[in-house]
Amino acid sequence: MKKLREFIWPIIGLAAVVVSVYLLWHQLEGLSFADLEASLAAIPAHRYALAALSTLVAYAALAWYDRIALIHLGVRGISWLFVSLCSFTTYALSHNIGASVFSGAMVRYRAYTSKGLSAAQVAVLVALCSFTFGLGTMLLGGVVLVLQPDLLTRLEGKLPALLTNPATARILGGALLAFVALYVVGSILHLKPMTIRKFKLEYPRPQVMVRQLIAAPLELLGAAGIIYFALPEAGNPGFVVVLAVFLASFSAALVSHAPGGLGVFEVIFLTAMPDLPKVDVLAALLIFRLFYLLIPFALAIVVVLLFERGRLAAAMRGRAEVPATVPPPPVDGPGLKPDLEPVSKVG
């Protein structure tokens, strides 16, 4: 069964890509490359600059994810530059490849064990970063659904009818915010771990929790900002609508397991933007893929090659890197700190 599960998700991801590309092809029927080129050229230079700035904000927030997890583990002595490069490389690879278990976790393992972390500590770091992203999605998604539950009606036919109904959408939004509130209260009051089947959540210290609630929404706002600034000003539905559609599209792309959400992300976004010319929406999505996915992916490959080259050179010289000041691996399990204070563990 374990081997079967290893094959089934890539197959599902490939099927999602095939179906989405087919749907996308029909949506874009009649558009030409000349139309797309004209739409890209019509985007003002200052909006390209704002989209690039949004990309920097998103990746800076992603680097903060790792920093928060290191604070949570009590790890000191690892520079911001190293953490930022590790985080950047991790997300640039996993966003494009889609197999975060191999790209994300493996990159972090290679990087952080070179600084003295144990495999158990890296596992907690990866889990906390993943949960931080999920927490931000629930927080922003809950706020959007509660304040403007009718936004998901734009996706009728692409999402289950239960989600596109404004009444149930508002209830879902309230449930998401209630989960976030429970997490906040649990952290402040040091409640016992919350267990749902095999899922176990041990609440972090309040200073860690507060950082999570700032970093995660910031990353999502930055990523959505890339598309918002790339869309034309005339007919632009506004940032809140773009954010809502981005959260729905990005979440669906992640669930699909399609590499880079290819096709899935575009189909949902194009469907939810009927008021704008499709060629303009497509141009904005191409800018998003270029700034948020492709350029970081190319840079990440260079970073990985340089890192591995440095490790190989150090090994050949017989020199060991000086490890960071890291607490010893916990004796009672990977979810505990050396002073036996619980730390967050997802899964």
Side-chain angles (χ1 to χ4, degrees):
M1 289 298 295
K2 184 177 180 180
K3 290 183 178 180
L4 179 61
R5 286 196 298 269
E6 291 176 355
F7 285 99
I8 193 169
W9 290 119
I11 293 174
I12 291 174
L14 180 61
V17 170
V18 172
V19 173
S20 299
V21 169
Y22 173 78
L23 295 174
L24 187 61
W25 178 264
H26 282 276
Q27 284 219 34
L28 300 179
E29 199 170 11
L31 297 182
S32 66
F33 284 106
D35 295 332
L36 182 60
E37 185 179 5
S39 184
L40 289 169
I43 301 174
H46 74 277
R47 294 186 74 86
Y48 273 109
L50 290 171
L53 181 60
S54 296
T55 306
L56 294 177
V57 169
Y59 274 96
L62 287 173
W64 199 6
Y65 285 14
D66 282 48
R67 197 69 182 179
I68 292 169
L70 291 172
I71 293 172
H72 183 61
L73 288 168
V75 175
R76 300 180 300 276
I78 302 180
S79 70
W80 258 106
L81 177 60
F82 185 91
V83 173
S84 299
L85 286 175
C86 179
S87 172
F88 171 80
T89 305
T90 295
Y91 287 107
L93 291 176
S94 60
H95 285 162
N96 286 276
I97 298 173
S100 57
V101 172
F102 298 102
S103 54
M106 187 58 67
V107 169
R108 282 195 175 104
Y109 177 81
R110 289 284 295 162
Y112 287 120
T113 53
S114 74
K115 293 295 183 181
L117 272 70
S118 68
Q121 288 171 316
V122 175
V124 173
L125 184 147
V126 171
L128 188 64
C129 288
S130 298
F131 183 77
T132 299
F133 169 79
L135 191 67
T137 303
M138 287 186 285
L139 177 58
L140 286 181
V143 170
V144 169
L145 289 176
V146 168
L147 296 181
Q148 297 194 35
D150 59 326
L151 287 178
L152 288 184
T153 56
R154 291 169 169 263
L155 294 173
E156 284 182 340
K158 298 299 178 182
L159 291 179
L162 187 66
L163 294 178
T164 56
N165 181 285
T168 53
R170 177 165 279 162
I171 293 173
L172 175 61
L176 293 175
L177 292 180
F179 180 89
V180 175
L182 176 62
Y183 181 73
V184 171
V185 172
S187 174
I188 294 173
L189 300 181
H190 304 288
L191 297 181
K192 293 181 180 180
M194 180 173 60
T195 303
I196 305 174
R197 294 185 179 180
K198 294 183 179 180
F199 177 88
K200 185 178 181 182
L201 173 64
E202 297 183 13
Y203 300 98
R205 301 184 301 279
Q207 55 266 42
V208 172
M209 175 269 297
V210 171
R211 287 179 171 90
Q212 287 179 291
L213 292 179
I214 298 173
L218 186 62
E219 188 271 325
L220 293 166
L221 291 172
I226 301 171
I227 300 176
Y228 171 74
F229 288 119
L231 288 171
E233 296 183 58
N236 193 310
F239 184 76
V240 174
V241 174
V242 173
L243 174 63
V245 176
F246 173 81
L247 291 174
S249 304
F250 202 71
S251 298
L254 289 176
V255 171
S256 73
H257 286 267
L262 185 63
V264 179
F265 183 78
E266 285 80 3
V267 165
I268 294 179
F269 220 103
L270 283 164
T271 303
M273 292 289 174
D275 302 329
L276 286 170
K278 289 183 178 180
V279 67
D280 291 336
V281 178
L282 181 61
L285 296 177
L286 286 177
I287 295 299
F288 172 78
R289 284 202 172 272
L290 179 65
F291 284 14
Y292 191 75
L293 299 177
L294 298 181
I295 293 177
F297 184 58
L299 294 175
I301 293 175
V302 175
V303 172
V304 170
L305 292 176
L306 291 176
F307 175 78
E308 295 298 340
R309 178 187 175 188
R311 293 277 289 168
L312 179 61
M316 293 178 65
R317 292 194 305 266
R319 299 176 182 176
E321 293 189 22
V322 179
T325 306
V326 180
V331 294
D332 291 335
L336 299 179
K337 290 179 62 182
D339 59 0
L340 300 187
E341 180 183 350
V343 301
S344 288
K345 179 173 63 178
V346 180

